[in-house]
Amino acid sequence: GDRQDVTGKVPHEATTSGQFHYDAADATPLYLLLVARYLAWTGDAEFVRSVWPKVERAYAFCCGTDSDGDGLIENTRVGHGWIESGPLGGAHVTLYLAAIWRAALEALARAAAVLGEARLAAECWARAARAGAAIEGSFYHERRGSYALDKRADGTRTWTQTALTAVAILLGAVNPVRARKFLDALGGDGFSARWGVRLLPTGDPLFSPTGYHAGAVWPLFTGWAALAEFRAGRGPAGFRHLMANARLAFVRQGGAFDEVLHGLEERTAGVCPDQAWSAAMVLVPLVEGLLGVEPDAPGGKLTLVPQLPDNVEWLEVTGVRCGESVYDLRVRRRARDVTIAVRHTVGPPLWLTVGTWLASLPETVEVDGEAVQPEVTAWGTGMRCAVVFQAGAEHEV
């Protein structure tokens, strides 16, 4: 935020010599999403209020890039998306950028409400609903059963399937049921190597195993895939991609994660030899995917909906923090029973949403030995079954 330009645009890159690049369209909505996510995890409203003028300038800049009034911010005359160049570059608006915008609006609406900015919160909710409708109307093709990569200036769509669709799923910006065909392909041999996920599948005419935006494996894409799969209830596939990234820590330099790997051979493909976003994509799919952690520190709420892998009978995690509160989590599976135990250790008690994904409706659900009716959501594959209670001690679901 300190390096915004006069328009409110946020830098894409900064060098150690003090050069700042403003050549990306996604940096500014990602900044909005970052501020809101920071607030959700920490509850630090004081800091967020101190940067709120920068947030408002960034928000105004984004709104000003919707030149055609369809509710979606644009790449045209603003900057590149994740694909910076090549045959897949040059879009008017990408699904990737549109998904970030919708997610940023929803997160910003919640943050604005926390700060008492009711008017902005209502505006963001309205813009988010419009963006969601525009995404489904502009990018989804019923007969193809897939989402387009982008929309061009002449109104045509690019139907090349890339790993970037995972971003729209993990951010909750598209319907995972409609993205079923993509999710099936994502776990297949075309997209997925043993060491991670390619941007393009091997069967695509544009595939190149060393192409930065044409088929190389990025641990970042692998993490995106895992997060999308966990969000859609595809725990086994998400766990396989999570472990593909985790294994990279022991391949070459201890603890170093390459930015780019070869698309057909398990080796580096150059660029950055130790990339922060690659390392992050071990941690984020573990916390937000495998453990199903969703924070709401300002609201005094925390969601824990783990998806235990098929070959794992138990899992124990200590120190899950949301704001000033900390919980330990233990998950155990025996035959047809899944038991989730939570223990409050530090801070004020939170309202917890605790559950897991199941293939069918559960026969019984109990909280501390008492039978309860769960909340059941069919969103993607299987059913997300959860219960809500205030947790100030030890509890067992």
Side-chain angles (χ1 to χ4, degrees):
D2 292 341
R3 297 294 181 173
Q4 282 177 303
D5 72 6
V6 293
T7 68
K9 193 177 187 183
V10 169
H12 167 224
E13 291 181 332
T15 70
T16 54
S17 59
Q19 297 296 313
F20 295 87
H21 303 159
Y22 297 85
D23 52 345
D26 60 350
T28 309
L30 281 170
Y31 171 70
L32 299 176
L33 187 57
L34 173 65
V35 171
R37 292 291 289 166
Y38 172 82
L39 180 60
W41 274 105
T42 67
D44 188 359
E46 182 179 352
F47 171 76
V48 173
R49 192 178 300 279
S50 74
V51 301
W52 200 247
K54 301 167 187 176
V55 170
E56 290 180 318
R57 286 196 295 273
Y59 170 71
F61 170 80
C62 288
C63 293
T65 69
D66 179 12
S67 65
D68 56 15
D70 67 350
L72 300 178
I73 60 176
E74 298 163 7
N75 294 94
T76 302
R77 294 185 297 278
V78 182
H80 59 73
W82 197 263
I83 298 175
E84 300 172 349
S85 59
L88 295 178
H92 175 61
V93 58
T94 62
L95 175 63
Y96 162 80
L97 183 66
I100 294 171
W101 178 230
R102 179 184 175 181
L105 286 168
E106 291 181 344
L108 193 61
R110 297 186 183 96
V114 171
L115 298 187
E117 302 284 347
R119 182 176 178 180
L120 180 60
E123 181 179 317
C124 286
W125 280 123
R127 287 185 181 273
R130 189 169 179 224
I135 288 171
E136 295 298 326
S138 295
F139 289 92
Y140 185 71
H141 193 284
E142 190 74 40
R143 183 173 54 80
R144 294 174 184 267
S146 63
Y147 288 90
L149 172 67
D150 61 43
K151 182 170 70 172
R152 300 279 154 165
D154 62 3
T156 61
R157 274 65 170 170
T158 302
W159 294 103
T160 302
Q161 293 296 289
T162 77
L164 288 173
T165 303
V167 176
I169 299 170
L170 72 90
L171 291 177
V174 299
N175 187 334
V177 176
R178 285 184 157 188
R180 183 182 291 114
K181 185 186 295 185
F182 165 77
L183 286 165
D184 289 343
L186 192 62
D189 293 339
F191 273 110
S192 293
R194 184 176 61 256
W195 54 96
V197 172
R198 309 171 179 99
L199 179 69
L200 291 173
T202 53
D204 192 283
L206 297 175
F207 172 78
S208 170
T210 58
Y212 193 64
H213 293 307
V217 165
W218 292 34
L220 178 66
F221 301 156
T222 311
W224 284 348
L227 284 164
E229 288 160 337
F230 279 122
R231 184 179 180 94
R234 298 185 176 219
F239 185 68
R240 286 196 301 273
H241 284 132
L242 165 61
M243 292 307 297
N245 267 353
R247 283 190 291 268
L248 297 177
F250 308 99
V251 173
R252 280 178 298 282
Q253 308 97 316
F257 292 83
D258 286 288
E259 178 177 348
V260 180
L261 301 169
H262 195 278
L264 294 177
E265 301 171 16
E266 195 169 354
R267 60 179 175 85
T268 184
V271 196
C272 177
D274 190 13
Q275 173 58 265
W277 65 47
S278 297
M281 283 303 167
V282 177
L283 299 175
V284 183
L286 171 64
V287 175
E288 298 187 13
L290 179 65
L291 301 181
V293 180
E294 299 173 21
D296 181 7
K301 302 173 185 177
L302 177 64
T303 295
L304 299 166
V305 183
Q307 297 184 52
L308 206 62
D310 293 340
N311 61 340
V312 175
E313 293 183 351
W314 64 272
L315 171 71
E316 189 167 337
V317 181
T318 59
V320 178
R321 175 180 289 275
C322 178
E324 299 301 318
S325 302
V326 180
Y327 288 87
D328 296 340
L329 173 70
R330 187 177 68 253
V331 187
R332 184 177 296 276
R333 179 171 52 214
R334 289 192 182 94
R336 292 165 53 83
D337 293 338
V338 178
T339 302
I340 304 170
V342 294
R343 184 166 69 96
H344 175 244
T345 61
V346 175
L350 302 178
W351 283 93
L352 297 190
T353 298
V354 178
T356 190
W357 285 77
L358 302 171
S360 59
L361 285 171
E363 292 178 7
T364 58
V365 178
E366 296 180 355
V367 177
D368 297 333
E370 296 285 335
V372 298
Q373 191 70 27
E375 297 178 352
V376 179
T377 307
W379 181 248
T381 303
M383 299 180 180
R384 183 181 183 270
C385 300
V387 294
V388 179
F389 57 92
Q390 191 173 36
E394 293 189 33
H395 305 275
E396 188 173 271
V397 179

